[in-house]
């Protein structure tokens, strides 16, 4: 949220004063007992209140994404009654500056030992944060390839801005375009670990987990996830990957902060769609792009309420 308070019945209410459902967790400690299951290295690197998707093979992750793209987009269109395809995978790969050349797939598992995706909520279609973590077998080969993707993305986007920074003694590089079509934060906290995120806030939260400074702790440290790993041990032949939503993550998902943030996303998305359609209507009727939102309102392509908002964008920017 842009602010820390919101209006409720005409009164300002501090966001921190709102609380979501507080369902009691299972007694994970007693359920775990003296068991000490093996935990993956990547589960030690993600915050306990983020979702966790882990694959022991990069190829298996790519195959899963392809199946999702083949069938998931059709199911999404039917469920949402929307003919548009969200193309989430393609959008994220572009945003994170990652290429998946089919000719290179035989080499992927030679240089990557494991890969995980994590994030603060599941509203990926609207544009939520996604952070990828790679456990690396051959650091030099991997770094040359992944850094090459950044260089290629920078050349393909003349308006991209590259910056360098440091967080908790971890140097990182960011590459961002004004429209966030490209928006990536890339770092190597250790020689055998690569982190790549489309959100600086999420990137820093993951780095805090890696450095042992996350307020929520890491997923591997929780009795909850340790117990789950006694039921689904690492190395089981039937496991290609694992998707896990922890109790702290579920509480965040149904809590006021995430719900209100998603509401703001949807409002912004709806306004952008309205501007785009209005600009297209104006161009169809007038034969030229609109100069301002006022022109769209004057031509009755937008309702009068839009003129009251302090928009800082031109409608023509949303014509693709």
């Amino acid at each position: 949220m842009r602010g820390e308070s919101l209006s409720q019945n005409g009164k300002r209410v501090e966001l921190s004063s709102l609380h979501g459902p507080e369902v009691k967790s299972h007694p994970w400690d007693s359920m775990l007992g003296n068991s000490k299951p093996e935990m993956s290295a990547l589960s030690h690197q993600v915050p306990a209140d983020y979702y966790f998707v882990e694959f022991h093979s990069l190829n298996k992750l790519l195959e899963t994404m392809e199946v999702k793209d083949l069938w998931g987009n059709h199911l999404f269109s039917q469920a949402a009654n929307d003919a548009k395809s969200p193309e989430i995978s393609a959008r994220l790969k572009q945003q994170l500056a990652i290429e998946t050349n089919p000719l290179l797939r035989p080499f992927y598992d030679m240089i990557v030992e494991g890969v995980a995706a994590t994030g603060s909520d599941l509203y990926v279609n609207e544009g939520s944060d996604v952070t990828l973590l790679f456990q690396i077998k051959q650091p030099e080969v991997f770094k040359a390839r992944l850094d090459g993707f950044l260089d290629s993305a920078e050349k393909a986007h003349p308006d991209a801005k590259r910056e360098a920074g440091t967080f908790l003694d971890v140097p990182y590089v960011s590459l961002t375009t004004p429209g966030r079509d490209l928006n990536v934060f890339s770092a190597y906290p250790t020689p055998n670990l690569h982190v790549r995120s489309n959100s600086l806030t999420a990137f820093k939260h993951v780095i805090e987990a890696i450095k042992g400074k996350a307020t929520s702790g890491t997923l591997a440290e929780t009795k909850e996830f340790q117990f789950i790993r006694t039921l689904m041990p690492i190395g089981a032949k039937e496991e290609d990957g694992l998707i896990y939503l922890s109790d702290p993550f579920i509480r965040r998902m149904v809590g006021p902060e995430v719900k209100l943030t998603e509401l703001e996303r949807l409002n912004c998305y709806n306004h952008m769609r309205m501007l785009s359609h209005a600009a297209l209507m104006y161009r169809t009727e007038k034969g030229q792009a609109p100069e301002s939102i006022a022109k769209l309102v004057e031509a009755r392509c937008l309702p009068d309420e839009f003129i009251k908002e302090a928009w800082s964008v031109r409608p023509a920017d949303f014509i693709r």
Side-chain angles (χ1 to χ4, degrees), residues 51 129 172 182 252 281:
Y51 67 78
D129 59 275
Y172 67 87
L182 175 65
R252 286 191 70 257
M281 180 185 294

Side-chain angles (χ1 to χ4, degrees), residues 1-295:
M1 299 291 290
R2 284 194 294 264
E4 296 181 352
S5 62
L6 62 153
S7 178
Q8 187 179 63
N9 297 326
K11 298 180 180 179
R12 302 301 295 180
V13 177
E14 292 298 323
L15 183 59
S16 59
S17 69
L18 301 179
H19 302 283
E22 297 182 2
V23 179
K24 188 177 180 180
S25 294
H26 293 292
W28 301 115
D29 206 341
S30 60
M31 292 169 67
L32 179 64
N34 295 322
S35 299
K36 294 183 179 180
E38 180 184 359
M39 309 299 289
S40 68
L42 291 177
S43 66
H44 283 277
Q45 319 295 341
V46 300
D49 58 351
Y50 273 24
Y51 67 78
F52 182 59
V53 180
E54 180 180 29
F55 280 80
H56 307 300
S57 163
L58 181 54
N59 278 313
K60 290 295 184 182
L61 172 60
L62 295 175
E63 290 172 8
T64 302
M65 291 175 64
E66 288 170 352
V67 172
K68 189 276 299 176
D69 287 343
L70 179 62
W71 297 104
N73 287 345
H74 298 297
L75 294 173
F76 178 88
S77 298
Q78 293 293 325
N81 293 320
D82 194 334
K84 301 187 306 300
S85 171
E87 298 183 342
I88 298 173
S89 297
R91 187 182 71 210
L92 283 175
K93 284 191 287 187
Q94 178 182 355
Q95 199 171 43
L96 292 168
I98 289 181
E99 302 174 19
T100 54
N101 189 336
L103 297 177
L104 296 176
R105 290 197 177 183
F107 302 97
Y108 287 161
D109 289 337
M110 295 175 58
I111 61 175
V112 176
E113 187 171 350
V115 58
T118 189
S120 63
D121 64 57
L122 298 175
Y123 299 114
V124 181
N125 184 48
E126 287 85 351
S128 183
D129 59 275
V130 175
T131 302
L132 299 179
L133 299 94
F134 297 88
Q135 191 177 358
I136 310 166
K137 293 180 183 178
Q138 301 183 39
E140 293 183 2
V141 178
F142 180 92
K143 192 174 189 301
R145 190 67 184 171
L146 269 290
D147 288 356
F149 291 161
L150 288 178
D151 296 337
S152 298
E154 186 175 16
K155 292 179 181 178
H157 297 79
D159 57 345
K161 183 179 181 181
R162 181 189 283 257
E163 293 183 333
T166 302
F167 181 70
L168 295 181
D169 297 325
V170 175
Y172 67 87
V173 173
S174 67
L175 196 59
T176 305
T177 56
R180 298 296 190 268
D181 294 331
L182 175 65
N183 192 56
V184 56
F185 301 86
S186 171
Y188 296 86
T190 68
N192 296 96
L193 178 65
H194 177 57
V195 178
R196 185 165 289 209
S197 180
N198 66 352
S199 163
L200 181 58
T201 300
F203 171 81
K204 288 182 175 180
H205 196 26
V206 170
I207 296 298
E208 287 173 344
I210 293 171
K211 290 292 187 176
K213 297 183 180 297
T215 55
S216 63
T218 66
L219 187 62
E221 294 171 342
T222 66
K223 301 297 184 180
E224 171 190 350
F225 192 62
Q226 291 173 19
F227 173 74
I228 295 301
R229 270 310 187 188
T230 65
L231 304 179
M232 295 182 284
I234 291 178
K237 62 180 181 180
E238 62 269 24
E239 180 181 300
D240 290 326
L242 175 71
I243 300 175
Y244 192 73
L245 311 180
S246 67
D247 278 358
F249 174 78
I250 295 297
R251 291 193 184 96
R252 286 191 70 257
M253 280 292 297
V254 300
E257 182 177 356
V258 172
K259 289 292 186 181
L260 291 171
T261 300
E262 173 62 4
L263 175 62
E264 187 169 272
R265 284 194 195 122
L266 291 175
N267 284 334
C268 291
Y269 175 74
N270 185 56
H271 287 147
M272 296 300 103
R273 289 288 300 276
M274 290 180 70
L275 280 171
S276 177
H277 295 328
L280 287 172
M281 180 185 294
Y282 187 96
R283 175 169 285 184
T284 299
E285 294 180 348
K286 307 291 185 180
Q288 62 184 18
E291 298 176 358
S292 65
I293 293 177
K295 288 291 186 181

